Amino acid sequence: HVQRVESGGGLVQAGGSRRLSCAASGRYAMGWFRQAPGKEREFVAYISWSGGSTYYPDSVKGRFTISRDNAKNTVYLQMNRLKPEDTAVYYCAANKNGRVGVQGYEYEYWGQGTQVTVSS
């Protein structure tokens, strides 16, 4: 019911960095997903309500870091060593159940997305 709003997308050179932000009020675990034209929605990162647990797929592990500041009601996705294949619309989503989830249907509330374009 509460809309999540992402920000921080834009153009970046391959090898560069970018940080995305998402408004995240409420007691929810949070996730980041991405989707490129002609491709399926892809899981990117998960973080528990407390921030004590995180999970990443192999495609971004070691390059991306999810974090949150509950005092600021904000979740972040720090993206380093970006590649052209990272180009996509990035979405944040809220998971009230709180369990680790890598499938979109496990998240109840979604933002509108922010475009990240990585040039070679």
Side-chain angles (χ1 to χ4, degrees):
H1 41 75
V2 179
Q3 185 175 9
R4 312 292 166 166
V5 180
E6 305 94 339
S7 63
L11 295 169
V12 60
Q13 290 275 73
S17 298
R18 198 80 177 180
R19 188 177 74 165
L20 307 182
S21 300
C22 179
S25 61
R27 191 178 179 89
Y28 299 102
M30 298 291 294
W32 286 94
F33 292 78
R34 66 188 182 186
Q35 188 165 25
K39 297 183 179 179
E40 296 180 348
R41 181 175 54 198
E42 179 185 18
F43 167 75
V44 175
Y46 162 90
I47 188 167
S48 63
W49 157 247
S50 68
S53 297
T54 59
Y55 181 76
Y56 308 89
D58 290 340
S59 59
V60 307
K61 191 177 299 181
R63 298 190 299 120
F64 290 10
T65 302
I66 187 171
S67 62
R68 68 193 304 163
D69 185 341
N70 287 344
K72 296 182 178 180
N73 295 320
T74 303
V75 175
Y76 304 97
L77 183 68
Q78 178 67 46
M79 305 183 292
N80 298 325
R81 303 194 303 279
L82 283 161
K83 307 173 181 179
E85 63 201 75
D86 295 319
T87 296
V89 177
Y90 284 72
Y91 301 89
C92 67
N95 174 358
K96 188 176 181 179
N97 290 332
R99 65 179 182 271
V100 175
V102 301
Q103 301 178 70
Y105 71 80
E106 298 179 87
Y107 294 79
E108 288 81 17
Y109 309 111
W110 293 77
Q112 294 299 302
T114 186
Q115 177 73 46
V116 175
T117 302
V118 184
S119 61
S120 59

